[in-house]
Amino acid sequence: MPNLKILSTARKRTFNDAPKLSSNARHCYFLIDADTRKVINTLRTDINKVGFLMQRAYFQAKGRFFDESLFKHKDLRFAEKALGLKKPVDLAGYSMKSKTQHKNLILESFKWKAFRNRDHEDLAAHALLHVDKRKSSEDVLFALLDFCWASKVEIPSYDQFSNIVSDSFNQYENTILKRTKARLDEKMTDALLSLLSNTKNSVRFGDLKKIDQAHTQRALKKNAEILAYFRDIFFVIEPLLKELALTEEGTKYFADWVYKSSTRQITQLQNPIKQCLYLAAFVQDQFYLRQDYAVDAFLKVIRSTVNSAKGYDRKQKESMEKEEQLSSKSVLDSAKSSKQILKLALNISQDHSITYSQRNEQVINLIESYFEAENPELNEHFSKMDARLTNSQLKYSFYEYLFNSHLSLQRTLGPLLSVLVFDKNNSDSSLLEAINYYAVDGQSMSNAPVDFLKEKDRTIVFSDEQTAVISRYKTLLFIHIDAAIREKRLTLEHSYRFRANKHYLIPSDVWERDKLQFISAAKLEKYWDGKVTLHNMGRSLTQTYQRVNKGITAKQNPFVHIKKTGEWRVRGPDADYDASKYIPGMLNNQKSTLLYEILSEVDSYTGFSEAFTHRSNKGANKEINKKLINATIMSLGTNLGHNDMDKAARNISEKQLRDTEKLWLSNDNLEKANKSIVQFIQSLPLPTIFNDKNGTLHTSSDGKKVVVAVNSLLANYSYKYYGKEQGVSVNSFLDEKQSFFHVNVLTASDREAPHMMDGIVSAKHSLFREGESNHLHSTDTHGYTEAIFAGLHFLDVAFAPRIKNVHRQTLYAYEAKSLKKNSNYLIAPKNSINRKLILSHWDDILHLMASIKLGYCSASQVFKMLSSTGRSSKLYIAIKELGKLLKSHFILNYIESEELRRSIQKQLNRVELGQKLSGAVFFGRKGQLHAGTDNQIQKVMACTTLLKNTIILWNYLFLSDYYHGLNGKEERKMVLDSIASGSVIAWKHLNMHGVYDFDGKPPKSFKATLVQMQNINVNV
């Protein structure tokens, strides 16, 4: 089989070419230290001296050696100057023997190894770890490149990498096809092919690929029928799927071919084994997806009903407040009168000055008078108060609403509950028994399992009113199922998101067998010894307590104030000089620039359009049409939609836009395109001017609430953010060079913290290589948890959030001597971390982090599951304990360093400016999303992010030209200060209005139905 085309021709050439060194890099790489001088002095000829120095410099930059024909002229002249040579040297006489000797000397000096056959085998084994997760060929190539750097092995050529990657992919697919052929039988084949002909209820095959996002009775009933259809086929082919043992990524990779193909294309596939493999993966993917969506719908309907019941209960209580006050007053008055009468009766009965008969008569008359004068409604008030007390204890109004909704709940959720396949080995057995009873019988209470009910629930179900008892039972069953799913006491056997926790990590037996290999692949070697790692972290924390308190005592930190009560406060950073008004003023007399012109110009520099590859069958036209690509990106990214873009663009139809989106704009392609733009921004000299933090990379992320205007199970209601609409949260990631390197979508009810970690993991795989620089990441309080402090630490990222009321945070100690009771520290911890718990779960922590870093699971998925498992699993508590130590260390640094506080504030200001840019770019249809599934929403947000990055890059290119045309130092400083303050993110006037002509002709006046947005001023 031919090698895969992993990189474009231009990127392949760059990969194989000698490095392009900046002026600063030349001074570093061609620096002749004492050891290098000794080696050079042993070389006899100028040719060998120059050749050695060139090879050494290039090796430092790229980890490999190059033929002298690739040496750059500027670098040669610099090397000659560094060596003190007066005449240019001709390297034509640089012999192969000398090259080999120099190569060995250089490898030895840097303690690297030459690339041998054994290393080829190691790379092949490492590639299979990634191929099994169905990462893209490009990701696998760069994972191998990272492996070479980490192992200090000479980096091979692109062709050698290409051979290894291609062989691993071919080996994987051949293995899967062989397994399919060996296990596939006639019954399985018939079941799979029936998808293309005899679908249930005459549903078209194309409709089977879509999952209705509505949660109405009709929609959920239809979804349940289709889920049952896929379930039946799944159980027929389950032996085949177990034999294949596809990972989630592998399943989606093979299923994707079916999603992108028409029924005719699938039936015309000549290889029947491959056809059945693709269909089997499609069935598994659909079965898993539909089970997940069914649970989503179940949870959403229950939450909506419970919230309505709480609202009804609240209104009932409010409406009875006045009546309750009247009843309370009557009862109180009666109690006061009763007390006085009883007191008088007691006095009379004890008065021995009168006869017993007289006393008895007076007491009787007194009591009779009381009852005659008593409020006739008092007994009714007593009854009402008693009823309200009982109601308050048992929440009768709340349950009244729930029980009145039982028919709606049963009709809506009953069909879904009947087709879900729960994991018997990892679920609450009492609940499973009740669910099975509901599915099989569920008509009477005679044999109904009740072990899952709490005592209060049983009181409500088995009340004196025997009518509708079974309806109450079913309603409470739904409520308990909702709680059990959220707490992971009820899990699905076949699911992407609702399986038992253990299924998401590297399998335990595989971890124990290949632990060292996984640790190496995940770059966790330095954390291998838990005792040493924890001790070093703890010792550093103790020293930081000492240093910070010493500085406060010596009054070296004027920003910290200690109150008489012992509480401390730290003053926040003052705002930096804001030059954001300067740059927009530069273009007051300039015309606005059309967005498609910016896209075209940026593409000419970055070649981002090459990232869009066609996924279709043989015979399809796979030539990139940049006009359609740009139009589709604008259609989605600006939220205009294909219909309005069709009206706004010449010679582009709505069908062309939809076909382009389907065949070219996958989320993977958009991620690669964004990556190419971000990398170009990072390569520019202008954005690096203010990156003076000793090589520290500072990134940030922030969530933005977006209304969803269509049916979506991902969207939730939140009156605070969306009013009466529902919506999602879009988390954007920004680096200090002001490029948006990642975006992800989450529900409005989810905490941002674990999803933030997903973005960092993704960026570490592609943009920010581990170990290349110190990395800080900042969020606001919503992006912070103690567990995430620990998670980011294993990614070599220092978490630096802006925590609201940071002085109220609990500080922790590693050693008892740091505690407040044992020290005279002004800022001291009250509690110690549980070292024993952390160390007892150290292997589990490494197992978890290796699973996340190698792509077996997402951080958001695992941390959410661990935190929702009952009272939280011991593993999660151990991770939090480690996070408490790291959080305490950060807070102390935050107190001590004004520069850190200012840097955090500045970076978060930048990402907030970016959110304003998002609002300006995503202006169509009032900024309301018209995509329902998480995959569709992610695609739209990726397009918006790409547009933002093109705007930012265009601004940088414009400012570079503008800056070099300035003569005055003061004006140059104003430009640089503006860039540093973040105003480069969004200062260009954009024309989002008018007819888009993607052939470069002037736009004509707009007469269609677009939003009237002539020259959106994106100055924030």
Side-chain angles (χ1 to χ4, degrees):
M1 284 184 156
N3 282 354
L4 298 172
K5 182 180 178 182
I6 302 175
L7 300 179
S8 65
T9 304
R11 294 180 69 195
K12 176 182 174 182
R13 190 185 307 115
T14 302
F15 189 97
N16 280 327
D17 197 12
K20 294 181 179 179
L21 302 179
S22 64
S23 176
N24 185 49
R26 287 193 194 96
H27 282 88
C28 294
Y29 292 145
F30 286 98
L31 178 67
I32 302 176
D33 55 26
D35 292 336
T36 306
R37 177 67 66 184
K38 288 179 182 179
V39 176
I40 290 175
N41 289 339
T42 64
L43 303 177
R44 296 180 180 179
T45 66
D46 291 345
I47 293 176
N48 284 344
K49 291 179 180 179
V50 173
F52 174 82
L53 191 57
M54 289 293 297
Q55 293 283 21
R56 186 179 184 279
Y58 283 175
F59 178 80
Q60 283 184 272
K62 268 197 164 183
R64 53 180 301 204
F65 300 96
F66 299 90
D67 187 80
E68 64 273 14
S69 62
L70 298 175
F71 291 174
K72 310 293 184 185
H73 179 75
K74 286 186 177 180
D75 297 335
L76 278 170
R77 301 289 81 83
F78 196 92
E80 291 165 356
K81 184 177 179 181
L83 290 166
L85 303 179
K86 297 181 179 180
K87 294 182 180 180
V89 174
D90 184 5
L91 290 180
Y94 191 33
S95 66
M96 181 60 67
K97 181 179 179 180
S98 297
K99 293 178 195 174
T100 304
Q101 290 176 344
H102 296 169
K103 172 183 173 181
N104 292 333
L105 286 170
I106 293 168
L107 289 172
E108 183 180 356
S109 67
F110 287 104
K111 297 180 180 179
W112 276 48
K113 299 182 297 182
F115 187 77
R116 309 292 185 193
N117 289 335
R118 172 61 183 167
D119 300 303
H120 187 285
E121 294 171 4
D122 289 343
L123 284 180
H126 189 69
L128 285 174
L129 284 176
H130 294 277
V131 169
D132 186 46
K133 302 301 296 178
R134 289 315 303 187
K135 291 186 177 180
S136 70
S137 57
E138 182 179 332
D139 289 338
V140 176
L141 185 148
F142 284 108
L144 298 185
L145 181 66
D146 284 347
F147 185 80
C148 288
W149 278 102
S151 305
K152 292 188 174 182
V153 174
E154 176 194 354
I155 294 171
S157 67
Y158 171 83
D159 289 337
Q160 288 173 295
F161 273 132
S162 178
N163 289 335
I164 294 171
V165 174
S166 299
D167 288 345
S168 62
F169 272 88
N170 292 334
Q171 180 182 341
Y172 176 80
E173 294 198 14
N174 288 335
T175 301
I176 295 299
L177 285 171
K178 287 179 182 178
R179 290 178 185 174
T180 304
K181 184 177 181 180
R183 195 65 183 84
L184 191 67
D185 59 29
E186 186 176 352
K187 185 179 180 181
M188 296 177 188
T189 304
D190 291 342
L192 290 170
L193 295 180
S194 68
L195 283 164
L196 307 174
S197 55
N198 300 316
T199 54
K200 190 174 180 63
N201 296 332
S202 302
V203 177
R204 294 188 309 109
F205 180 66
D207 293 335
L208 291 178
K209 301 178 184 180
K210 305 172 186 176
I211 302 177
D212 194 337
Q213 294 291 299
H215 53 277
T216 60
Q217 287 185 17
R218 182 176 180 181
L220 294 185
K221 182 180 179 182
K222 190 67 176 178
N223 282 347
E225 291 174 356
I226 298 176
L227 172 56
Y229 174 60
F230 276 109
R231 180 196 60 186
D232 294 341
I233 298 178
F234 177 85
F235 286 142
V236 172
I237 66 170
E238 190 173 16
L240 169 63
L241 295 173
K242 287 183 178 179
E243 180 69 24
L244 296 178
L246 295 172
T247 61
E248 178 180 332
E249 293 79 6
T251 300
K252 288 186 175 297
Y253 172 81
F254 292 118
D256 189 54
W257 187 89
V258 177
Y259 287 115
K260 297 292 178 64
S261 304
S262 65
T263 307
R264 182 180 178 184
Q265 288 172 323
I266 299 172
T267 55
Q268 290 180 345
L269 187 62
Q270 295 180 357
N271 187 335
I273 303 300
K274 188 174 286 190
Q275 183 185 53
C276 287
L277 169 62
Y278 291 160
L279 288 173
F282 169 71
V283 169
Q284 180 172 344
D285 186 53
Q286 276 291 309
F287 183 46
Y288 279 38
L289 281 175
R290 288 183 178 275
Q291 290 240 104
D292 287 346
Y293 278 117
V295 172
D296 285 335
F298 188 99
L299 298 179
K300 192 166 187 175
V301 170
I302 289 294
R303 285 297 91 191
S304 176
T305 305
V306 167
N307 289 337
S308 298
K310 289 179 179 178
Y312 175 79
D313 184 51
R314 185 170 57 252
K315 288 180 179 179
Q316 289 294 102
K317 289 178 180 177
E318 290 173 356
S319 66
M320 290 191 294
E321 268 189 14
K322 292 183 179 180
E323 186 178 347
E324 187 174 351
Q325 289 176 358
L326 179 62
S327 298
S328 299
K329 189 175 186 307
S330 298
V331 172
L332 183 62
D333 291 343
S334 176
K336 289 179 179 179
S337 300
S338 301
K339 183 178 179 181
Q340 294 297 325
I341 291 171
L342 289 173
K343 186 176 181 180
L344 181 59
L346 179 62
N347 291 335
I348 293 173
S349 66
Q350 294 175 344
D351 187 0
H352 296 286
S353 62
I354 57 178
T355 64
Y356 177 79
S357 299
Q358 187 177 354
R359 281 183 280 169
N360 187 48
E361 185 66 23
Q362 288 181 357
V363 168
I364 292 173
N365 292 334
L366 187 65
I367 293 175
E368 287 178 347
S369 299
Y370 168 75
F371 280 113
E372 288 177 3
E374 184 186 38
N375 186 346
E377 298 179 354
L378 186 60
N379 288 333
E380 184 180 349
H381 289 313
F382 278 131
S383 299
K384 288 181 179 180
M385 287 189 69
D386 183 57
R388 279 193 290 275
L389 285 173
T390 306
N391 188 8
S392 177
Q393 292 173 350
L394 298 179
K395 300 172 70 174
Y396 274 147
S397 296
F398 172 79
Y399 285 108
E400 178 189 1
Y401 185 93
L402 284 182
F403 297 150
N404 288 337
S405 306
H406 76 275
L407 284 177
S408 175
L409 287 175
Q410 289 181 52
R411 290 170 182 170
T412 304
L413 302 179
L416 290 179
L417 191 59
S418 300
V419 295
L420 289 173
V421 181
F422 293 101
D423 185 348
K424 297 178 182 178
N425 297 322
N426 297 284
S427 295
D428 187 323
S429 58
S430 60
L431 260 179
L432 287 180
E433 186 181 3
I435 292 170
N436 292 333
Y437 171 80
Y438 176 88
V440 176
D441 184 4
Q443 299 302 318
S444 67
M445 286 297 299
S446 57
N447 299 315
V450 295
D451 289 345
F452 71 95
L453 292 172
K454 297 178 182 178
E455 190 62 36
K456 184 178 69 173
D457 297 330
R458 296 186 189 187
T459 302
I460 295 171
V461 172
F462 298 103
S463 62
D464 293 334
E465 300 176 14
Q466 292 301 315
T467 58
V469 170
I470 188 65
S471 65
R472 295 179 180 181
Y473 175 83
K474 292 178 180 178
T475 303
L476 290 177
L477 174 61
F478 291 151
I479 300 297
H480 278 271
I481 290 173
D482 171 84
I485 290 174
R486 294 178 188 276
E487 296 173 4
K488 301 298 288 184
R489 291 186 291 108
L490 195 61
T491 59
L492 298 181
E493 187 172 354
H494 309 287
S495 164
Y496 287 131
R497 293 186 281 113
F498 296 101
R499 287 179 291 168
N501 293 350
K502 64 181 182 180
H503 294 306
Y504 292 96
L505 306 182
I506 299 169
S508 297
D509 56 336
V510 178
W511 169 254
E512 291 300 328
R513 185 188 67 213
D514 300 324
K515 186 183 300 184
L516 292 177
Q517 189 175 358
F518 284 116
I519 291 289
S520 176
K523 300 178 184 177
L524 294 171
E525 299 97 329
K526 62 184 175 182
Y527 303 111
W528 173 257
D529 192 326
K531 287 185 178 179
V532 173
T533 302
L534 191 60
H535 174 72
N536 291 338
M537 293 167 64
R539 184 177 58 182
S540 175
L541 176 62
T542 301
Q543 292 171 350
T544 306
Y545 272 117
Q546 295 171 348
R547 189 181 67 248
V548 170
N549 281 281
K550 183 179 179 180
I552 294 172
T553 304
K555 298 184 178 180
Q556 296 171 349
N557 191 339
F559 301 97
V560 176
H561 173 64
I562 307 295
K563 294 186 174 183
K564 293 180 180 180
T565 59
E567 295 181 353
W568 58 271
R569 296 287 190 279
V570 61
R571 195 176 76 196
D574 296 328
D576 277 348
Y577 168 73
D578 182 11
S580 60
K581 296 181 180 179
Y582 173 73
I583 290 183
M586 295 192 309
L587 285 188
N588 281 341
N589 299 323
Q590 299 282 339
K591 293 182 178 179
S592 60
T593 301
L594 294 172
L595 186 55
Y596 76 83
E597 291 179 350
I598 291 178
L599 276 171
S600 299
E601 187 173 351
V602 167
D603 187 31
S604 69
Y605 284 98
T606 65
F608 72 80
S609 61
E610 293 183 11
F612 295 98
T613 55
H614 189 284
R615 279 304 305 273
S616 185
N617 291 313
K618 186 178 179 181
N621 180 12
K622 298 181 181 180
E623 183 179 351
I624 295 177
N625 187 326
K626 294 184 180 180
K627 179 176 72 173
L628 286 175
I629 293 288
N630 289 345
T632 310
I633 291 171
M634 288 177 59
S635 173
L636 295 174
T638 63
N639 202 35
L640 285 173
H642 297 327
N643 183 44
D644 282 348
M645 182 58 75
D646 172 22
K647 299 173 182 178
R650 289 191 180 95
N651 304 321
I652 293 180
S653 67
E654 183 177 354
K655 182 180 184 304
Q656 287 177 307
L657 294 170
R658 295 193 184 282
D659 289 344
T660 303
E661 178 190 348
K662 176 183 176 182
L663 299 174
W664 293 89
L665 264 66
S666 68
N667 282 320
D668 286 341
N669 288 345
L670 284 165
E671 185 177 345
K672 290 177 184 176
N674 265 314
K675 177 183 171 183
S676 65
I677 300 174
V678 171
Q679 287 177 327
F680 194 88
I681 292 174
Q682 293 174 345
S683 70
L684 293 175
L686 191 62
T688 64
I689 289 175
F690 285 87
N691 186 14
D692 55 357
K693 305 183 187 70
N694 299 318
T696 298
L697 169 69
H698 199 161
T699 58
S700 57
S701 57
D702 186 44
K704 179 181 175 65
K705 307 300 182 183
V706 180
V707 172
V708 179
V710 296
N711 289 324
S712 174
L713 293 174
L714 186 67
N716 284 333
Y717 288 97
S718 174
Y719 188 81
K720 176 181 178 181
Y721 297 113
Y722 314 114
K724 295 183 179 180
E725 307 291 340
Q726 58 180 347
V728 295
S729 182
V730 179
N731 215 16
S732 296
F733 295 74
L734 184 79
D735 63 19
E736 57 192 356
K737 296 176 184 177
Q738 304 176 39
S739 60
F740 291 88
F741 60 87
H742 187 75
V743 63
N744 54 22
V745 180
L746 52 150
T747 65
S749 58
D750 280 346
R751 182 136 192 173
E752 292 174 11
H755 292 271
M756 174 272 289
M757 189 171 166
D758 283 341
I760 297 298
V761 171
S762 176
K764 283 289 185 181
H765 282 160
S766 57
L767 288 169
F768 311 127
R769 307 292 179 187
E770 288 186 68
E772 284 188 359
S773 62
N774 297 323
H775 187 171
L776 266 70
H777 186 79
S778 295
T779 68
D780 57 18
T781 304
H782 293 289
Y784 136 79
T785 65
E786 289 167 342
I788 294 302
F789 263 102
L792 290 183
H793 180 74
F794 287 98
L795 297 176
D796 291 334
V797 177
F799 195 22
R802 181 182 61 193
I803 304 176
K804 185 178 181 181
N805 297 324
V806 66
H807 58 277
R808 295 180 183 172
Q809 289 291 316
T810 303
L811 294 175
Y812 295 86
Y814 177 75
E815 297 173 305
K817 67 180 182 181
S818 301
L819 293 173
K820 196 171 188 67
K821 63 183 180 180
N822 299 329
S823 69
N824 59 353
Y825 294 161
L826 294 172
I827 297 180
K830 295 181 180 179
N831 301 312
S832 298
I833 62 166
N834 190 336
R835 286 185 277 176
K836 185 177 179 180
L837 180 66
I838 295 173
L839 292 176
S840 66
H841 287 85
W842 193 257
D843 186 73
D844 296 328
I845 293 173
L846 293 180
H847 186 184
L848 172 69
M849 292 309 304
S851 300
I852 291 173
K853 294 183 74 172
L854 295 177
Y856 282 81
C857 56
S858 68
S860 58
Q861 189 178 50
V862 169
F863 278 93
K864 185 177 179 180
M865 286 190 308
L866 290 176
S867 63
S868 64
T869 306
R871 295 183 179 179
S872 295
S873 68
K874 289 185 178 180
L875 171 58
Y876 187 69
I877 296 173
I879 294 172
K880 286 179 66 177
E881 286 296 304
L882 183 60
K884 289 174 181 177
L885 186 151
L886 293 163
K887 181 194 75 171
S888 301
H889 201 286
F890 160 72
I891 291 176
L892 292 175
N893 288 332
Y894 185 85
I895 293 170
E896 183 180 38
S897 174
E898 182 193 7
E899 181 184 354
L900 175 61
R901 297 194 298 273
R902 192 181 299 279
S903 180
I904 293 171
Q905 185 65 48
K906 181 184 291 185
Q907 191 59 29
L908 289 176
N909 285 347
R910 285 170 175 163
V911 77
E912 287 172 6
L913 289 174
Q915 297 292 32
K916 293 184 179 181
L917 175 59
S918 298
V921 173
F922 194 74
F923 72 92
R925 294 183 282 198
K926 300 181 180 179
Q928 295 184 343
L929 264 168
H930 284 252
T933 67
D934 49 356
N935 188 62
Q936 290 172 333
I937 297 174
Q938 183 69 35
K939 182 185 292 186
V940 171
M941 291 298 106
C943 288
T944 303
T945 302
L946 190 147
L947 293 179
K948 291 191 296 184
N949 280 328
T950 56
I951 294 168
I952 291 165
L953 175 52
W954 192 95
N955 286 341
Y956 271 131
L957 295 173
F958 180 92
L959 285 172
S960 296
D961 292 340
Y962 186 89
Y963 177 81
H964 288 295
L966 296 174
N967 294 320
K969 291 184 179 180
E970 189 65 29
E971 199 169 9
R972 283 192 171 196
K973 184 178 183 302
M974 290 284 285
V975 173
L976 298 181
D977 286 345
S978 291
I979 295 171
S981 69
S983 58
V984 73
I985 290 177
W987 62 271
K988 186 78 185 87
H989 296 262
L990 296 177
N991 188 346
M992 301 280 194
H993 170 72
V995 173
Y996 297 106
D997 189 321
F998 291 88
D999 295 318
K1001 299 175 183 177
K1004 62 184 181 182
S1005 60
F1006 175 71
K1007 296 181 180 178
T1009 58
L1010 287 176
V1011 181
Q1012 299 298 309
M1013 297 287 286
Q1014 172 134 35
N1015 296 339
I1016 289 183
N1017 186 344
V1018 201
N1019 169 24
V1020 294

